[in-house]
Amino acid sequence: MKSSLFLVILAMLGLCHCVFIDLNKTPTNGTKSSVITRNITITGLIPLTLPVIDANNSNSRALAHLSYLSAKAMQDINNDPRLLNGTHLTINAVNSQLLSPVLLGQALRQRTAGSVAFVGGLFELDGSPLSVISNVLQVASVATLSSDSALSDKSKFPMFVRFRPASEQQSNAIFDLFDFFYSRTRQLQWRQIGVVSTATPYGITLSNAFLNTAETRNFYITSYQQFLGVTSDNTNLAVRDITQQVTQLKESKARVFVSLMQTSDMQFLIENAIQYGMFAPDYVWLCADACATNILHLNFSFIPDKAVIVKEYFNAIPGFLGVASSAGYGTPSFTALVDAYQKQFNSTQRLGVYPAPLYDAYYAVAIALDSILKENPNAVINPLELAQAIRNVTFRGITGPIEFTEDGDRFPIYNIVNVWRGSQCPECLGADYGDVFIPVGTWTANDGLQMDHPVRFFDGTTRIPDLNLHQSFDYFDCTDGKKKTDETGKTVNLDKPSWGAKQIDADYYCDEYLDCDDMSDEPYDCVPSFKVLFIIYGIITGLLILFTIFVFVPFTLIFGFIIPRKRVRASSPLFLLIIIISGVFGIGSTYAWYGKPHSVACGFQPWLLGLAIVSMNSALIAKTFRIWRVFRSPFKVKVISNVELMVLWIILVAPVILILFLWTLVSTPTAKLEEHEGLEHLVCAGGGFTDSNAAGYAWFFILVGYQGLVMLLGILLTFAIRNVPSKFNEGKLIALSIYNITLLGAIVIPVFLVLRYIIPFVAWIIRTSVIIYVFTATLALQFIPKIWGVVLSDKFKDPRNQDGLEPRTDPEMTI
């Protein structure tokens, strides 16, 4: 920025015919000459056809009466002793809203009449005719609100000066503000922007510059939408439908939106965006300088059907951000101008950013003329020289420091403004009660962004909102045993359903898999319910085990060893005990499948069940083998001790121990997460060195194959003793036991393997029921006939020669 102090020093040294004017300070010495030797005329282009509105009516548009403001500027300039001594400045007003040919004709008459400069332009569109007028009529022109970047080309518009920086500068101010919040939150949503503009000269010009700057600065535009801006006669209100545009903005997932449009269009956008919930604590809106004004909360009386009432605006725009042209809020000169305006119109409404620059524009022309006339009081005003003199002007106006670039654009100074309250703001930094936007920072091209006060957001706090939101989702809390919803979509980190999981996906609830450690994801109200199933089967299993221990064990000990009975002794009491132990472990092995799969339980499952089955089968086969050996030669006495049979039992069981050992070593059964029907579940699977389910199945079928060979041996032995006397022949019972195990195994194993991942609940019932049935049926077949015989048939006595035969072996052979 050019130094004001530097220009003052140049003026003192006589190297610069200029004076530094500060409109905030009243002249303290000197009086203006009352002798007028020269009259100079400038033309004010102002929208004289705008409706005259009562500024005290909250349902009307609060605009300054620009004719009054022009006259006030001339009065102050002509009374300022620091400027144009001996020269009187006159303003002739021309309606800037006239059609271009008519406007050019009016301007030509003004130029012919001696006007040395044209000043004005309330709207963006006014910059183009002013630039044309400056070229065609060869006259210096000053626009107050035009920002089209094309007008910065000094080679094409050498006599055009404007009080608004080029659009790129405002874009940089906006992006610097977003980077300010990004640096503090590191949330990319501050760099992912949704943009909406009107299809007006202002909207098109600013949006083009904004999109280009976004690409240069690596900001991502998630969506750019455009709609028709309101016309001056409101003829397009009936055809304005922005449902599609607002929907696209909503679906873009952006959380930060920039609106590039006039105030009336922003109100229309607010009205529609409210319906989509886009003015909420998790959204941030920023308005460019044309709508970041203190009339944003007011209705327009000339569009009553489409305006939003004041109350709705206040509910919608708390936390609204804006980038506003510097308006000098709070400075003495601006306050004096406001007071004069309010007194003139008996109004409580303050001037906004639209009319204020017009006052400074007149002063800029006056200061430039003063610099020329001080060098040569009789100089003929050259338009090119005057335009350059205006570019060289530096003063402090009511809108802040005034300086221009070499291209004739005002050196950029923007206020960062923020809506701090709804209807009242006792802490608004001394700003006027009627203000909506409160300055919280400034931005200049040289110094960048300077934040002076914290920004308030939609929730009324200065806490930067969390914009890194995701879609809300339901989850299940294993700790509380309840389904809940994470509204933010990111507060809760979902756990995989491994051990220790606290929060899991809601889809795990009642899905027939146990995913919480305490089984709370499968409560009693699930249909079907694992908890109910475990209770029922747990009780049945426990009762069977207790019955086996407290009935079969005492019966075997008493009538096999303590009070020997031949019915029991003939069945080898030692091996009856082995069958009992095998049955207890076999039935009890089902508990390893209760609850959520655990690596320890998974490892025990094959050992408990596999050993129990082979142990029981081997005991039955050992008994059958003894009978076969004894009765193979009817005329020879053979003694087969329990030791020999135990060796046989060990020989039959040892391969299973080896298989289980190698299985555990190579493909250790473990609890692993596997995906089934789109969700991961903890299931028992193959681990170890192979870490493969296929290897686990291979070991399983090796074990089943060996069990099949053992049962085949039992079937052959049973067939071989089919003619042995019934007192010693348990072939039918053993055959029935082996048949049950073989048939059920052949049917159940493939059915279970198919159903375990399709209908886990049914698969669990089938597997558990079969295990319980196999062992319970075998125990029943072995013990119920003996108990019946000893208790009911023999009346606890030991009958002799029941079949007319005496055994030809000593008791040891039949033990």
Side-chain angles (χ1 to χ4, degrees):
M1 182 182 292
K2 295 180 291 184
S3 171
S4 302
L5 178 61
F6 178 69
L7 291 175
V8 171
I9 294 174
L10 290 179
M12 293 175 61
L13 296 175
L15 300 177
C16 173
H17 296 282
C18 57
V19 61
F20 182 78
I21 301 294
D22 186 347
L23 300 186
N24 292 313
K25 297 180 179 180
T26 302
T28 56
N29 52 44
T31 57
K32 191 150 187 175
S33 173
S34 58
V35 179
I36 303 301
T37 61
R38 186 170 184 172
N39 286 294
I40 296 178
T41 301
I42 61 177
T43 301
L45 294 176
I46 55 179
L48 298 177
T49 55
L50 280 177
V52 178
I53 300 168
D54 179 4
N56 287 321
N57 185 349
S58 61
N59 291 322
S60 67
R61 188 177 187 180
L63 294 175
H65 194 295
L66 298 177
S67 295
Y68 162 78
L69 190 63
S70 298
K72 183 68 169 67
M74 290 304 98
Q75 177 185 352
D76 292 344
I77 291 171
N78 287 324
N79 290 333
D80 193 330
R82 297 168 296 184
L83 293 175
L84 298 174
N85 274 307
T87 301
H88 183 79
L89 199 62
T90 303
I91 290 181
N92 291 329
V94 172
N95 187 3
S96 63
Q97 300 302 100
L98 296 174
L99 296 177
S100 295
V102 179
L103 178 60
L104 186 60
Q106 292 279 1
L108 178 59
R109 282 192 286 274
Q110 291 291 322
R111 179 70 173 123
T112 304
S115 180
V116 299
F118 287 75
V119 179
L122 179 62
F123 302 111
E124 178 74 32
L125 191 61
D126 296 338
S128 296
L130 270 173
S131 63
V132 171
I133 289 172
S134 67
N135 282 351
V136 173
L137 302 182
Q138 292 294 294
V139 63
S141 297
V142 181
T144 56
L145 293 177
S146 178
S147 61
D148 189 348
S149 300
L151 300 179
S152 295
D153 191 341
K154 185 178 179 181
S155 63
K156 294 181 180 179
F157 307 102
M159 289 169 285
F160 180 75
V161 183
R162 57 182 171 180
F163 262 67
R164 176 175 283 181
S167 302
E168 289 84 354
Q169 301 294 347
Q170 184 172 183
S171 300
N172 281 319
I174 294 173
F175 289 130
D176 279 355
L177 179 61
F178 291 158
D179 266 340
F180 171 81
F181 292 117
Y182 171 72
S183 67
R184 282 154 178 76
T185 64
R186 310 310 295 178
Q187 292 184 343
L188 289 175
Q189 285 73 15
W190 287 102
R191 299 182 62 84
Q192 298 170 345
I193 314 299
V195 182
V196 56
S197 76
T198 49
T200 61
Y202 173 82
I204 294 172
T205 297
L206 190 53
S207 62
N208 287 339
F210 189 84
L211 296 178
N212 292 333
T213 306
E215 183 177 359
T216 302
R217 298 191 54 167
N218 294 320
F219 277 75
Y220 177 66
I221 304 301
T222 62
S223 178
Y224 171 53
Q225 300 298 317
Q226 196 175 69
F227 64 91
L228 294 174
V230 64
T231 56
S232 58
D233 57 1
N234 305 311
T235 56
N236 66 334
L237 285 180
V239 299
R240 289 212 303 177
D241 182 0
I242 62 173
T243 301
Q244 181 178 355
Q245 289 90 331
V246 175
T247 300
Q248 291 294 323
L249 290 173
K250 177 79 172 182
E251 293 178 352
S252 73
K253 306 301 182 184
R255 292 289 169 176
V256 179
F257 295 100
V258 173
S259 53
L260 312 173
M261 58 194 68
Q262 303 288 340
T263 302
S264 57
D265 297 316
M266 187 64 224
Q267 292 178 331
F268 183 65
L269 175 60
I270 290 174
E271 179 184 353
N272 284 268
I274 286 175
Q275 301 175 19
Y276 288 82
M278 296 175 66
F279 280 87
D282 50 356
Y283 288 95
V284 174
W285 284 83
L286 182 143
C287 201
D289 57 356
C291 62
T293 69
N294 285 326
I295 61 174
L296 181 60
H297 67 300
L298 302 177
N299 278 349
F300 295 110
S301 60
F302 51 90
I303 49 173
D305 295 335
K306 289 294 180 178
V308 181
I309 64 174
V310 172
K311 182 178 179 180
E312 291 180 340
Y313 275 128
F314 279 133
N315 291 337
I317 63 176
F320 210 84
L321 286 165
V323 174
S325 299
S326 177
Y329 293 134
T331 61
S333 57
F334 186 83
T335 301
L337 184 63
V338 169
D339 291 343
Y341 166 75
Q342 293 174 336
K343 181 178 180 180
Q344 176 73 22
F345 291 98
N346 191 26
S347 168
T348 59
Q349 180 62 41
R350 297 181 62 188
L351 290 173
V353 297
Y354 285 110
L358 182 63
Y359 184 92
D360 281 342
Y362 288 129
Y363 249 95
V365 174
I367 294 172
L369 288 170
D370 182 75
S371 67
I372 294 173
L373 295 178
K374 279 183 177 177
E375 184 175 354
N376 181 5
N378 299 316
V380 176
I381 304 301
N382 180 283
L384 193 59
E385 182 182 356
L386 178 57
Q388 188 58 48
I390 295 173
R391 288 191 179 97
N392 293 336
V393 162
T394 298
F395 69 102
R396 186 174 298 279
I398 65 170
T399 61
I402 308 295
E403 297 183 64
F404 297 95
T405 67
E406 288 297 323
D407 294 325
D409 299 334
R410 181 176 177 177
F411 198 86
I413 301 177
Y414 289 104
N415 285 328
I416 306 302
V417 295
N418 180 213
V419 177
W420 270 31
R421 43 81 160 92
S423 58
Q424 294 185 5
C425 181
E427 68 284 347
C428 285
L429 309 176
D432 188 87
Y433 174 84
D435 282 346
V436 175
F437 285 98
I438 305 302
V440 293
T442 57
W443 184 91
T444 64
N446 279 353
D447 299 329
L449 180 68
Q450 300 290 331
M451 297 300 292
D452 303 318
H453 302 282
V455 170
R456 289 199 175 187
F457 295 94
F458 189 92
D459 62 357
T461 71
T462 58
R463 182 178 60 253
I464 300 176
D466 182 2
L467 302 182
N468 186 24
L469 300 181
H470 301 78
Q471 186 175 359
S472 63
F473 64 88
D474 296 330
Y475 68 96
F476 185 83
D477 192 321
C478 292
T479 303
D480 296 337
K482 297 179 181 178
K483 291 182 70 174
K484 299 179 180 180
T485 300
D486 182 1
E487 299 293 347
T488 67
K490 67 170 187 176
T491 302
V492 174
N493 294 320
L494 292 181
D495 299 320
K496 292 185 177 181
S498 54
W499 280 89
K502 300 300 182 183
Q503 291 94 18
I504 58 177
D505 196 292
D507 291 339
Y508 287 111
Y509 182 75
C510 292
D511 66 342
E512 298 189 23
Y513 285 91
L514 295 170
D515 300 295
C516 289
D517 298 354
D518 59 358
M519 303 184 293
S520 58
D521 59 309
E522 300 290 330
Y524 296 109
D525 55 354
C526 289
V527 180
S529 172
F530 265 108
K531 283 190 174 181
V532 174
L533 183 67
F534 290 160
I535 291 173
I536 295 174
Y537 270 82
I539 293 174
I540 293 173
T541 302
L543 291 175
L544 288 173
I545 292 174
L546 291 175
F547 183 85
T548 301
I549 294 174
F550 291 104
V551 175
F552 294 163
V553 171
F555 175 81
T556 303
L557 293 175
I558 293 171
F559 297 106
F561 297 100
I562 301 173
I563 308 175
R565 292 294 180 260
K566 289 184 178 181
R567 287 183 184 275
V568 179
R569 297 283 293 175
S571 298
S572 300
L574 176 61
F575 285 90
L576 288 178
L577 289 176
I578 292 176
I579 291 173
I580 291 173
I581 294 172
S582 300
V584 170
F585 274 94
I587 296 172
S589 70
T590 58
Y591 286 123
W593 278 274
Y594 281 58
K596 183 176 178 178
H598 192 281
S599 294
V600 174
C602 293
F604 269 107
Q605 288 168 4
W607 283 90
L608 290 173
L609 182 59
L611 281 177
I613 291 177
V614 75
S615 175
M616 178 174 283
N617 286 338
S618 298
L620 293 173
I621 290 171
K623 289 174 55 179
T624 307
F625 178 76
R626 164 181 276 178
I627 296 171
W628 174 72
R629 286 290 306 275
V630 169
F631 289 94
R632 185 179 61 172
S633 301
F635 303 104
K636 294 182 179 180
V637 177
K638 295 182 176 62
V639 177
I640 301 176
S641 66
N642 285 332
V643 175
E644 293 178 85
L645 292 182
M646 283 300 297
V647 171
L648 176 61
W649 181 82
I650 292 172
I651 291 173
L652 293 175
V653 172
V656 173
I657 297 176
L658 178 62
I659 292 171
L660 290 172
F661 174 76
L662 294 175
W663 183 357
T664 304
L665 179 65
V666 177
S667 301
T668 310
T670 186
K672 293 170 59 177
L673 288 172
E674 290 186 355
E675 183 175 331
H676 300 288
E677 297 183 357
L679 291 174
E680 285 188 306
H681 299 282
L682 206 59
V683 297
C684 290
F689 294 106
T690 59
D691 194 26
S692 167
N693 282 342
Y697 285 130
W699 286 107
F700 172 74
F701 284 109
I702 290 173
L703 180 62
V704 171
Y706 177 76
Q707 296 276 14
L709 292 176
V710 172
M711 286 187 287
L712 179 61
L713 176 61
I715 293 172
L716 294 175
L717 290 173
T718 301
F719 179 79
I721 65 169
R722 65 188 182 280
N723 296 322
V724 172
S726 60
K727 178 180 178 181
F728 304 98
N729 188 357
E730 294 182 331
K732 292 181 180 179
L733 297 178
I734 294 173
L736 188 57
S737 298
I738 294 174
Y739 173 80
N740 284 337
I741 296 173
T742 304
L743 181 62
L744 291 175
I747 295 174
V748 170
I749 289 175
V751 172
F752 171 76
L753 293 178
V754 170
L755 292 180
R756 65 179 302 201
Y757 296 129
I758 300 176
I759 314 177
F761 188 85
V762 175
W764 193 96
I765 293 176
I766 292 174
R767 177 192 57 218
T768 306
S769 299
V770 168
I771 293 174
I772 292 174
Y773 170 78
V774 166
F775 287 99
T776 303
T778 302
L779 289 170
L781 288 171
Q782 291 297 314
F783 286 93
I784 297 301
K786 294 176 177 58
I787 294 174
W788 181 278
V790 171
V791 176
L792 297 179
S793 298
D794 300 340
K795 306 298 182 180
F796 298 104
K797 296 180 180 180
D798 195 6
R800 303 175 62 84
N801 303 322
Q802 291 180 353
D803 55 2
L805 294 174
E806 289 288 343
R808 296 175 292 110
T809 60
D810 59 30
E812 179 67 19
M813 293 188 296
T814 60
I815 292 178

